Amino acid sequence: MGRRIAILLSGRGSNFLAIYENILRGKLDADICAVISDRSKAPGLLKAKELGLPSFFVSFKDRAKGEEETARIIEERGADLICLAGFMRILSANFVRRFKGKILNIHPSLLPSFPGLDAQKQAFEYGVKYSGCTVHFVDEGVDSGPIVKQAIVKVFDDDTPQKLAERILREEHKIYSEAIKLVLDNQYVIEGRRVLFKKK
Ligand code: GAR
């Protein structure tokens, strides 16, 4: 069984870097076989280049072409798992079906609350007392696939959306690698929507 992961990102890339560092520290046994971005100047993509990782800019001006090129790279590089790490595009049903059960995403809220953009700000403005982050399988909906892992973050009275987002991000950096490990180790079964640990 291979342990190759492809990372798709659009921006800063801190989740990508956390995964990279967890691999270096021996906390996650995997190889990053491709870092793909829909933005040529995404800081995460530039960082991947600096680190000497196989890095690819793919234009999504035409979504179908962008997805086809992305799929080609993923298949050529032999990725076992695709990790969306701040990839700010919705993938088509076709793409999701092609890689069924092989795409993970991280989202900065306790799904199913606050899907979509600016989840931390949505949670803050709603007035929840707890928020957090979620790693889930990607299905054909938006932020709607089976949940692999979540972490809870308390919202304080003197919080700001920015401060809350920073604390959520610290949890994202932990649980994404843990979720990837769980999936790569094939330690789970899916029953309905529930992702359960396999009994040993
Ligand atoms: C992260 O907070 C991630 O959860 C969020 O974008 C940020 C990317 O940061 N993703 C979404 O909102 C997806 N719906 P990063 O580029 O530093 O990893």
Side-chain angles (χ1 to χ4, degrees):
M1 194 188 74
R3 321 237 348 159
R4 290 165 73 83
I5 60 178
I7 293 187
L8 269 59
L9 56 79
S10 301
R12 180 175 60 180
S14 75
N15 274 289
F16 145 60
L17 282 173
I19 294 165
Y20 175 81
E21 277 159 22
N22 281 328
I23 293 172
L24 281 188
R25 290 193 198 117
K27 288 192 181 168
L28 175 63
D29 177 20
D31 284 322
I32 297 174
C33 64
V35 177
I36 302 169
S37 180
D38 60 326
R39 285 187 45 226
S40 61
K41 298 201 171 82
L45 184 67
L46 303 180
K47 191 71 196 167
K49 276 187 194 152
E50 258 175 59
L51 292 168
L53 294 170
S55 314
F56 306 88
F57 159 64
V58 174
S59 166
F60 271 71
K61 260 187 202 154
D62 177 328
R63 179 167 90 163
K65 280 189 190 156
E67 287 192 348
E68 192 48 44
E69 172 72 358
T70 301
R72 189 188 60 72
I73 295 167
I74 288 167
E75 284 168 353
E76 262 180 31
R77 303 289 309 158
D80 302 292
L81 188 63
I82 302 162
C83 301
L84 310 185
F87 186 67
M88 300 315 247
R89 283 181 189 272
I90 293 165
L91 293 164
S92 71
N94 258 343
F95 186 94
V96 172
R97 280 198 291 267
R98 185 160 169 179
F99 297 102
K100 193 171 169 6
K102 300 220 169 295
I103 313 176
L104 289 179
N105 181 42
I106 185 141
H107 184 77
S109 75
L110 291 175
L111 289 172
S113 292
F114 314 119
L117 290 177
D118 289 327
Q120 307 95 326
K121 189 160 172 269
Q122 288 186 54
F124 179 86
E125 285 175 356
Y126 193 93
V128 294
K129 301 297 183 193
Y130 293 92
S131 190
C133 49
T134 304
V135 179
H136 64 92
F137 283 106
V138 174
D139 67 6
E140 290 166 26
V142 177
D143 299 326
S144 61
I147 290 169
V148 182
K149 243 183 184 290
Q150 291 186 307
I152 297 168
V153 174
K154 189 166 166 43
V155 183
F156 298 117
D157 284 354
D158 62 351
D159 248 333
T160 62
Q162 174 67 21
K163 287 204 274 185
L164 177 62
E166 281 166 16
R167 294 203 311 286
I168 292 175
L169 193 64
R170 285 207 285 277
E171 295 303 315
E172 294 184 41
H173 293 167
K174 291 183 207 155
I175 66 164
Y176 209 174
S177 294
E178 292 167 3
I180 292 169
K181 179 170 162 39
L182 186 79
V183 173
L184 285 177
D185 287 349
N186 202 26
Q187 283 172 2
Y188 67 95
V189 282
I190 300 189
E191 284 180 14
R193 285 198 46 90
R194 304 184 69 213
V195 180
L196 307 173
F197 279 99
K198 271 185 192 167
K199 293 196 183 73
K200 292 207 174 135

